Amino acid sequence: MTAFLTIKGQEVEAKGTFAFARRAKQEYKTGDTDAFADIFMGLIQNDEEALVKFWDCGTAYIPNRKFKREDIEAAIMERIEEEGDTLNLFKEAMSVLDASAFFKRKAAKLKDGLTILNSKGTTKEEKEENKQSYEIIKNSMVELGVTV
């Protein structure tokens, strides 16, 4: 699956490339966290801010692009109004990151890390909480078409 969005009248495709990684690190790195991981996890959680970051980074490969973050936000809003939902936007974004040869191994490691959550915890209550959290995340990934 590919991801397309019409921004300022121009249909653009989001790609998981080196330009994506560079833009994520330059614009969205906070503290010790990995910008790609933040975007990936945000998409799983259906976070609209992560969707904007995804499109900003996913179009960074376009030379001399003529649109800004605000234009991306407007394009996303227009698409949401057309479709009446955000599900397809999130599915397409996750598909790009999950299938990208550039990010495939990184995405797989993040998903593997999530499965550990299923059994982690020091107390019975903590283990049960983590298991419930894992199930919510797993269901979200399945809904978005991501292989778990």
Side-chain angles (χ1 to χ4, degrees), residues 85-99:
D85 197 357
T86 58
L87 183 59
N88 285 334
L89 283 163
F90 283 105
K91 276 184 173 181
E92 291 170 10
M94 287 303 295
S95 153
V96 167
L97 296 182
D98 201 36

Side-chain angles (χ1 to χ4, degrees), residues 117 120-132:
L117 182 64
K120 211 158 177 105
T122 53
T123 66
K124 186 176 181 175
E125 293 80 23
E126 193 176 271
K127 285 181 182 181
E128 187 57 36
E129 261 182 47
N130 287 344
K131 187 173 184 168
Q132 288 174 355

Side-chain angles (χ1 to χ4, degrees), residues 42-143:
L43 291 171
I44 288 172
Q45 297 167 7
N46 294 284
D47 176 20
E48 294 81 11
E49 179 64 21
L51 196 56
V52 174
K53 290 176 182 178
F54 165 80
W55 277 101
D56 186 32
C57 297
T59 57
Y61 72 93
I62 299 171
N64 304 316
R65 70 178 202 188
K66 305 273 190 247
F67 53 86
K68 297 182 264 181
R69 182 185 164 94
E70 293 78 18
D71 300 318
I72 293 169
E73 291 171 357
I76 290 171
M77 277 306 305
E78 189 175 306
R79 177 123 174 242
I80 292 169
E81 288 170 6
E82 281 175 18
E83 295 180 3
D85 197 357
T86 58
L87 183 59
N88 285 334
L89 283 163
F90 283 105
K91 276 184 173 181
E92 291 170 10
M94 287 303 295
S95 153
V96 167
L97 296 182
D98 201 36
S100 163
F102 190 80
F103 290 122
K104 187 173 260 195
R105 293 178 52 81
K106 197 170 205 176
K109 284 185 179 189
L110 286 170
K111 290 186 286 185
D112 286 347
L114 290 172
T115 59
I116 293 169
L117 182 64
N118 193 27
S119 60
K120 211 158 177 105
T122 53
T123 66
K124 186 176 181 175
E125 293 80 23
E126 193 176 271
K127 285 181 182 181
E128 187 57 36
E129 261 182 47
N130 287 344
K131 187 173 184 168
Q132 288 174 355
S133 295
Y134 171 74
E135 286 301 318
I136 291 168
I137 291 168
K138 185 176 100 177
N139 290 339
S140 180
M141 287 195 298
V142 168
E143 182 182 32

Side-chain angles (χ1 to χ4, degrees), residues 21-40:
R22 184 178 58 247
R23 177 85 175 186
K25 287 176 186 171
Q26 289 172 345
E27 298 295 324
Y28 301 112
K29 183 168 174 40
T30 55
D32 292 336
T33 63
D34 178 69
F36 173 81
D38 283 349
I39 293 169
F40 189 85

